[in-house]
Amino acid sequence: MKFYLVPIGEQFSFQGQAYTKSGPLTASAEMDGKSKMIPRSANVKLLNSAEPTLQEVAKEKPVAINDIMNAVNAYHLECLEYLVTIQNEVSESTFKDTTSKINMAYDKLINNIKLLNQ
């Protein structure tokens, strides 16, 4: 895992020594407490975390654009379903305006995803 992905306060191993991340570019050595600068791109190994972070997993396994589109579409449909549940609690104009804004945000997101795929 890259050093910049390690959360502050997390223990890790770098070049055979144990450290605790103390800042964006610094860590404290477990042995003597001295502060050391660690390059953002340095490969480190987490000591106390059994699960890799989401960012780490995402870097190892790219997600197919179709999977992303399916997730976005499912999210959008669920948002619209939640809107329907409050439809009777708000004015018709508020409901229509909110639905329109959610659909515009969805269209913008889809267009941005398509641009990234080119």
Side-chain angles (χ1 to χ4, degrees), residues 8-26:
I8 291 178
E10 187 77 37
Q11 292 182 324
F12 64 94
S13 172
F14 176 63
Q15 296 179 338
Q17 292 189 7
Y19 294 92
T20 300
K21 185 169 181 177
S22 56
L25 296 173
T26 58

Side-chain angles (χ1 to χ4, degrees), residues 28-64:
S28 298
E30 293 295 314
M31 188 176 353
D32 57 13
K34 289 186 179 179
S35 186
K36 178 176 179 156
M37 295 228 13
I38 309 281
R40 284 178 41 85
S41 61
N43 286 317
V44 301
K45 181 180 180 188
L46 295 180
L47 295 177
N48 297 329
S49 179
E51 295 288 324
T53 66
L54 181 59
Q55 290 171 328
E56 187 177 9
V57 170
K59 284 191 170 216
E60 292 175 5
K61 181 182 175 192
V63 180

Side-chain angles (χ1 to χ4, degrees), residues 1 4 71:
M1 152 180 248
Y4 77 93

